[in-house]
Amino acid sequence: MKKVFTILSLICFTVFTYGQQQDQKEIRVSQEVLKTYVGKYELGPGAIMTVTNEENRLFVQLTGQQRFEVFASAENEFFLKVIEASITFNADANGKTENLVLHQNGQNVPAKKIE
């Protein structure tokens, strides 16, 4: 629970870290691939990351937090511009997304896809 609280606390301070992500090259990812990432992922008890797709753009939102757009650096890797964090989506052998990993402040927090 402490790890989840730490992550939620860090995201609350986005105003102070806005614009920190630099030197990241954005790539385009197909709409078909983006759709496979849509869903809910459990970071911990009471901490759900919701991933949505609108007009070829991917967004993430943690429980109780505002929604942020993420930008692709690889087909399955995305970064945020408002904080120094990235997300990797992992799929099974059939290409179905199973989980994501939130990379932030030296921590790699896995989250299983629950919806």
Side-chain angles (χ1 to χ4, degrees):
M1 187 65 177
K2 183 179 179 186
K3 186 183 292 187
V4 172
F5 177 75
T6 300
I7 292 167
L8 293 174
S9 297
L10 291 170
I11 291 177
C12 287
F13 295 110
T14 59
V15 171
F16 300 111
T17 59
Y18 184 77
Q20 293 291 323
Q21 283 287 52
Q22 296 180 5
D23 300 326
Q24 292 276 359
K25 292 204 178 214
E26 294 176 39
I27 67 164
R28 288 188 59 83
V29 175
S30 73
Q31 180 68 9
E32 292 75 29
V33 171
L34 293 178
K35 286 180 183 178
T36 68
Y37 301 142
V38 170
K40 295 183 185 272
Y41 299 80
E42 186 174 30
L43 284 165
I48 304 297
M49 181 174 288
T50 302
V51 178
T52 55
N53 176 16
E54 294 178 19
E55 299 178 6
N56 253 4
R57 296 166 57 198
L58 207 62
F59 295 87
V60 296
Q61 183 173 16
L62 280 175
T63 303
Q65 303 297 318
Q66 67 185 100
R67 182 176 80 149
F68 298 108
E69 185 173 2
V70 292
F71 303 87
S73 57
E75 188 170 86
N76 70 324
E77 296 177 10
F78 293 77
F79 64 95
L80 288 94
K81 291 184 178 180
V82 294
I83 58 173
E84 290 192 41
S86 62
I87 296 170
T88 303
F89 291 95
N90 300 301
D92 63 17
N94 298 319
K96 182 178 178 183
T97 304
E98 292 184 310
N99 62 54
L100 64 74
V101 178
L102 174 63
H103 311 281
Q104 187 177 18
N105 289 338
Q107 296 182 5
N108 300 307
V109 183
K112 182 179 179 183
K113 189 171 188 179
I114 56 173
E115 279 184 34

